[in-house]
């Protein structure tokens, strides 16, 4: 049976296949165990942790009692499970238990999904999602565990998210001209939470739009009195401005002039007109779709996943039409800035690269490359700062109809976009083709003085700048050029990319003051241009900074990493998510001279080969560790190159593998001035110089 769980109120469970029939959960300790596992969000909770959470002073038989509670819960949740078969839902892993509930099985998780989805939708789409999300609440979250420390943080987080959802619901109703519907909910909301200035503003605006100007002004006066009396602060500028606007009956307060309503109406009118006027089979629809997918990919995790999946379909559809120019435009339109160097979907990336290569070949057959634009030779490369001419404004270079050799210049730009796509989608590989494509794309973009094209090409240059360790200064220069170029030409997404690249590079060089500035700049741009994924990277950076600067003990740094990892849920970047938290915790321990974590429930993801020897050593299995070390591959050429070499070197020192020690030292030598792994902006194993000293000592 499919089981649902409710924590937005008293903790309950129900049979989703039997019209929501309640499942008996026995006593309060049984419900506490279940609630604690739900708080862990599918992660393992050790038995020792459950005991600490259940009892202030654990009784002698606490371990047995926990097992009894778990057994009773399993019987209730999986009543038809045959004897002696493994549990499917409440599973045993390593030192504890985990609840492997589906993402939509817990009301709190579904509530979060709905609120997150609503943030990316226009008002007419957001309102039903928010109404459904708020309908899930039956009372305070984890109601019967209000005094438990393990529930306190989750209860506060969910309560704050609910307040945000109530206010976002009111804003959506106002944007849709349904001000009267917003008033009752806002009144109840403010009765319990009188310090919410956004709610006071929405309430006053709702009253004004229902013709109750006097009531609107009275609400604003009441807000001022409460804020001053209870918090000792004056109303913020938005409340003060609204009062002035209401007194003056400002035209923009009219519902038809409301920004959200106007934007929603423009979108509805434009899309309806597009559907009416552009035939369903028209080729221009593919190009419009590709441009829309580019924008969709930057709206958040859900948009990114959808855009990536539909991108492959759009390229395939373009290829079916047999028009290489159209296919090239569809592929090249997806110039989405990429900062993470491990592929989210290698198979998907390979299909895009193959399509780009086929399209390049088809274009070459129609438009042979002219002098200076070789198809199969990498042109001379001018890295940033080497004296290459800075690009001018759009249109400053050669017009699209001009020709060089036999090929129109416009096709140079198309080729460059295909080459940049190959460079970006080939990241982390060992083939020379990716680096060659990056150099070619950059050379063409500089020659054409095309700022947007150059920004995309520099993204490819960045992605292909990991052929060896110690290249943080080169990437820093690329990031600096991207920031200047993007700021000059209004390329906000690439300006964010430039700041994130410099954040990584300055972290690698131990310059956290500069990295802080780039993190703050990226966050400001992300907020201004609605790029929610920026916060994922800056949250990880702050955890790295805490760990690297030695200002926190190991527990605090570990907590910061866990908080950052929670932001990866639903971020749409599986290549970043899987295995990253365990790797960060391993690096934290190794950097502080402690053994690797050995929890059986840790999912090391793609980093398992480099972690396994150290895990075996922590279990005192030296012979197996030595054997595992012999199978470890060279690290991928990506942001974690130095960190993985350091982990390999530590294991080699421990087992006395002289050959691997020598290889690790040679690989790391060019990065002697860097912090290992910090160039990722995510984690670090400490100064490379310290690892090199230990490796050199082990070779004597």
């Amino acid at each position: 049976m499919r089981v649902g769980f409710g924590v937005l109120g008293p903790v309950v469970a129900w049979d989703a296949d039997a019209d929501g029939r309640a499942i008996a959960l026995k006593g309060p300790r049984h419900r506490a165990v279940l609630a604690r596992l739900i708080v862990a969000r599918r992660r393992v909770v050790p038995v020792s942790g459950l005991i600490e959470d259940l009892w202030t002073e654990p009784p002698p038989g606490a371990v047995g009692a926990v097992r009894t509670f778990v057994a009773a819960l399993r019987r209730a949740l999986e009543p038809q499970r045959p004897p002696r078969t493994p549990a499917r839902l409440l599973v045993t892993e390593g030192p504890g238990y985990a609840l492997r509930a589906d993402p939509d099985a817990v009301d709190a998780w579904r509530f979060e999904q709905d609120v997150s989805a609503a943030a990316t939708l226009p008002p007419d789409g957001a309102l039903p999602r928010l109404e459904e999300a708020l309908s899930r609440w039956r009372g305070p979250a984890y109601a019967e565990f209000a005094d438990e420390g393990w529930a306190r943080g989750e209860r506060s987080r969910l309560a704050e998210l609910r307040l945000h959802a109530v206010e976002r619901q009111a804003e959506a109703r106002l944007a849709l001209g349904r001000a009267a519907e917003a008033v009752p909910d806002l009144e109840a909301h403010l009765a319990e939470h009188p310090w919410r200035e956004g709610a006071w503003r929405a309430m006053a605006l709702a009253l004004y739009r229902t013709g109750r100007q006097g009531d609107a002004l009275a609400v604003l006066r009441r807000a001022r009195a409460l804020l001053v009396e209870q918090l000792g602060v004056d109303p913020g500028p938005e409340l003060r401005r609204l009062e002035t606007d209401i007194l003056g009956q400002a035209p923009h307060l009219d519902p038809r002039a409301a920004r959200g309503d106007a934007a929603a109406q423009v979108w509805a009118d434009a899309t309806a007109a597009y559907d009416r006027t552009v035939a369903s089979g028209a080729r221009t629809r593919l190009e419009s779709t590709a441009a829309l997918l580019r924008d969709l990919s930057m709206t958040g995790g859900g948009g990114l996943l959808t855009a990536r999946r539909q991108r492959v379909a759009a390229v395939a559809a373009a290829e079916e039409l047999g028009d290489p120019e159209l296919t090239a435009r569809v592929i090249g339109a997806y110039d989405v800035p990429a900062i993470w160097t491990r592929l989210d979907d290698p198979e998907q990336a390979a299909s895009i690269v193959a399509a780009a290569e086929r399209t390049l070949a088809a274009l070459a057959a129609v438009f042979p490359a002219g002098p200076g634009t070789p198809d199969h030779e990498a042109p001379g490369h001018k890295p940033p700062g080497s004296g290459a001419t800075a690009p001018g404004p759009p249109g400053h270079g050669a017009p699209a109809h001009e020709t060089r050799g036999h090929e129109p210049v416009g096709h140079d730009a198309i080729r460059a976009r295909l080459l940049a796509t190959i460079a970006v989608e080939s990241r982390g590989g060992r083939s020379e083709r990716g680096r060659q494509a990056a150099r070619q794309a950059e050379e063409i973009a500089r020659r054409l003085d095309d700022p947007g094209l150059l920004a995309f090409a520099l993204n490819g240059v960045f992605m292909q700048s990991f052929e060896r360790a110690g290249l943080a200064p080169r990437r820093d220069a690329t990031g600096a050029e991207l920031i200047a170029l993007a700021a000059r030409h209004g390329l906000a997404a690439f300006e964010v990319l430039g700041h994130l690249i410099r954040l990584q590079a300055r972290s690698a060089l131990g310059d956290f003051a500069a990295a802080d500035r780039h993190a703050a700049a990226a966050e400001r741009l992300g907020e201004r241009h609605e790029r929610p994924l920026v916060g994922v990277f800056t949250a990880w950076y702050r955890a790295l900074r805490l760990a690297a600067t030695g200002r926190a003990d190991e527990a605090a740094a570990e907590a910061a990493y866990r908080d950052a990892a929670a932001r990866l849920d639903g971020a749409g970047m599986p290549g970043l998510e899987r295995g990253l938290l365990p790797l960060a915790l391993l690096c934290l321990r190794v950097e502080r001279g402690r053994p690797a974590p050995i929890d059986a429930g840790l999912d090391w993801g793609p980093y398992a080969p480099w972690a396994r020897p150290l895990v075996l050593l922590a279990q005192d299995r030296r012979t197996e560790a030595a054997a595992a070390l012999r199978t470890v591959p060279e690290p991928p050429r990506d942001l974690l190159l130095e960190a993985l070499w350091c982990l390999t070197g530590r294991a080699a020192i421990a087992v006395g593998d002289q050959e691997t020690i020598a290889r690790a030292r040679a690989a790391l030598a060019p990065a002697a001035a860097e912090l290992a792994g910090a160039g990722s902006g995510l984690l670090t194993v400490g100064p490379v110089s310290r690892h090199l000293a230990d490796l050199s000592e082990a070779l004597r």
Side-chain angles (χ1 to χ4, degrees):
M1 73 181 181
R2 292 184 303 117
V3 180
F5 300 94
V7 296
L8 300 179
V11 175
V12 295
W14 60 83
D15 183 350
D17 292 329
D19 297 324
R21 178 182 58 82
I23 296 174
L25 296 177
K26 291 202 168 184
R29 299 244 191 242
H30 297 76
R31 290 195 298 278
V33 169
L34 178 61
R36 180 65 184 85
L37 295 177
I38 292 174
V39 167
R41 301 183 73 95
R42 296 172 55 91
R43 290 190 283 269
V44 174
V45 179
V47 171
S48 59
L50 288 171
I51 291 172
E52 290 178 8
D53 291 334
L54 290 174
W55 290 281
T56 304
E57 295 184 8
V63 172
V66 168
R67 289 174 179 162
T68 300
F69 300 150
V70 169
L73 285 170
R74 283 172 171 165
R75 287 193 296 271
L77 301 177
E78 298 184 61
Q80 298 175 347
R81 180 168 58 91
R84 293 181 296 281
T85 58
R88 176 189 60 84
L89 196 53
L90 204 170
V91 302
T92 302
E93 283 198 14
Y97 303 102
L99 184 72
R100 301 299 192 203
D102 292 336
D104 62 350
V106 179
D107 60 359
W109 301 353
R110 294 183 67 182
F111 168 72
E112 292 179 75
Q113 291 167 11
D114 286 336
V115 174
S116 177
T120 68
L121 298 173
D124 58 346
L127 183 57
R129 292 299 290 268
L130 290 164
E131 289 174 338
E132 182 179 0
L134 289 166
S135 71
R136 302 187 192 284
W137 285 76
R138 298 168 286 108
Y142 298 91
E144 66 265 59
F145 303 112
D147 297 328
E148 300 294 342
W150 53 265
R152 194 170 299 123
E154 184 70 356
R155 293 181 78 249
S156 297
R157 189 181 68 82
L158 288 169
E160 179 63 27
L161 190 60
R162 182 176 182 274
L163 298 181
H164 169 76
V166 170
E167 291 163 13
R168 178 72 178 87
Q169 176 184 250
E171 291 168 4
R173 285 172 172 163
L174 286 169
L176 294 170
R178 296 162 61 176
E181 295 178 25
V183 172
D185 285 345
L186 284 170
E187 284 180 332
H189 180 62
L190 284 166
E192 294 185 26
H193 311 287
W195 61 88
R196 307 283 294 190
E197 290 197 38
W200 284 113
R201 184 184 183 282
M203 180 68 171
L205 190 54
L207 289 169
Y208 179 80
R209 289 186 179 170
T210 55
R212 299 164 61 183
Q213 179 177 347
D215 289 339
L217 290 169
V219 157
L220 291 172
R221 286 194 293 270
R222 185 153 52 99
R224 179 187 295 107
L226 285 167
L227 290 168
V228 170
E229 292 171 8
Q230 295 191 13
L231 298 181
V233 298
D234 290 322
E238 288 195 357
L239 278 182
R240 296 197 303 272
R241 190 180 308 118
L242 179 60
E243 184 172 20
T244 301
D245 289 345
I246 289 176
L247 286 168
Q249 297 185 347
H252 72 265
L253 296 183
D254 183 88
R256 294 296 301 174
R259 180 183 174 190
D261 184 54
Q265 193 60 50
V266 168
W267 174 265
D269 291 346
T271 53
Y274 192 93
D275 274 339
R276 285 194 309 271
T277 57
V278 181
S280 60
R283 298 185 177 199
T284 188
R285 280 192 174 242
L286 273 177
E287 292 190 68
S288 299
T289 298
L292 182 62
L293 292 177
R294 177 194 186 278
D295 293 340
L296 179 64
S297 70
M298 291 182 275
T299 61
L304 178 58
L305 287 172
T306 300
R308 222 168 30 229
R309 183 171 62 250
Q310 294 301 324
R311 178 194 185 194
V312 175
V315 171
E319 284 199 288
E320 285 180 9
L321 296 173
D323 182 342
E325 291 182 76
L326 172 66
T327 304
R329 290 195 297 271
V330 169
I331 293 173
Y334 195 86
D335 56 348
V336 178
I339 186 66
W340 182 238
T341 49
R342 184 174 289 275
L343 292 165
D344 289 307
D345 188 331
E347 184 176 334
Q348 187 181 82
S351 73
I352 294 294
V353 169
E357 294 283 20
R358 288 192 297 270
T359 306
L360 275 173
L363 286 174
V366 177
F367 301 102
T373 57
D375 273 323
H376 304 294
E377 283 184 355
H381 175 53
K382 292 184 178 180
S386 64
T389 303
H396 179 72
H401 62 269
E402 183 185 332
T403 61
R404 280 196 183 90
H406 302 289
E407 181 178 3
V409 171
H411 288 89
D412 274 4
I414 290 174
R415 288 180 58 253
R417 286 194 171 273
L418 292 172
L419 290 163
T421 298
I422 291 169
V424 170
E425 297 296 341
S426 300
R427 57 192 185 267
R430 298 187 178 280
S431 169
E432 177 61 26
R433 175 54 175 159
R435 288 187 290 281
Q436 180 195 62
R439 290 192 296 269
Q440 289 181 320
E442 182 189 10
E443 188 275 336
I444 295 171
R446 291 192 188 281
R447 174 161 50 79
L448 297 181
D449 280 351
D450 184 328
L453 180 58
L454 180 57
F456 188 28
L458 288 175
N459 197 173
V461 168
F462 163 71
M463 282 296 178
Q464 294 296 329
S465 60
F466 298 90
E467 63 264 31
R468 63 169 175 81
L471 294 178
R474 182 196 296 180
R475 293 192 287 276
D476 192 39
T478 299
E481 182 176 10
L482 260 176
I483 293 169
L485 174 72
R488 194 162 58 245
H489 296 285
L491 306 172
F494 284 104
E495 190 175 355
V496 171
L497 174 66
H499 283 296
L500 291 178
I501 289 174
R502 294 209 70 192
L503 177 155
Q504 294 173 343
R506 301 318 300 176
S507 295
L509 299 170
D511 183 2
F512 288 109
D516 285 346
R517 292 194 294 273
H518 290 294
E523 286 176 330
R524 286 194 298 271
L525 286 165
E527 183 175 353
R528 186 187 316 156
H529 298 283
E530 298 178 328
R531 301 288 188 259
L533 294 180
V534 172
V536 174
F537 292 100
T538 55
W540 272 94
Y541 161 70
R542 291 194 170 89
L544 153 68
R545 194 190 195 292
L546 189 67
T549 55
R551 295 178 184 170
D553 58 24
E554 186 176 320
E558 181 174 325
Y561 276 131
R562 291 188 185 279
D563 288 344
R567 300 194 62 160
L568 285 169
D569 289 344
M573 297 181 285
L576 178 63
E577 178 181 2
R578 187 158 177 254
L580 185 57
L581 176 60
L583 181 67
L585 299 181
L586 171 63
C587 289
L588 179 64
R589 292 195 179 196
V590 168
E591 195 272 333
R592 301 191 178 203
R594 303 234 298 118
I598 58 175
D599 300 352
L602 289 175
D603 177 7
W604 293 100
Y607 311 110
W610 295 275
R612 181 167 171 73
L614 292 166
V615 171
L616 290 169
L617 284 166
Q619 295 170 329
D620 201 23
R621 296 157 65 182
R622 191 173 184 278
T623 301
E624 294 172 69
L629 183 62
R630 288 193 290 273
T631 68
V632 171
E634 283 200 9
R637 294 175 179 176
D638 63 18
L639 283 161
L640 292 171
L641 176 68
E642 291 90 351
L644 296 182
W645 266 121
C646 285
L647 295 180
T648 300
R650 301 316 302 184
I653 291 171
V655 301
D657 185 333
Q658 295 288 297
E659 180 184 350
T660 303
I661 291 172
R663 287 172 52 230
R665 186 178 68 168
L668 288 168
E674 297 184 13
L675 292 178
S680 66
L682 305 170
L683 52 82
T684 183
V685 205
V688 172
S689 58
R690 191 173 68 211
H691 292 275
L692 286 170
D694 292 344
L695 290 164
S696 297
E697 179 66 27
L699 284 174
R700 290 178 185 168

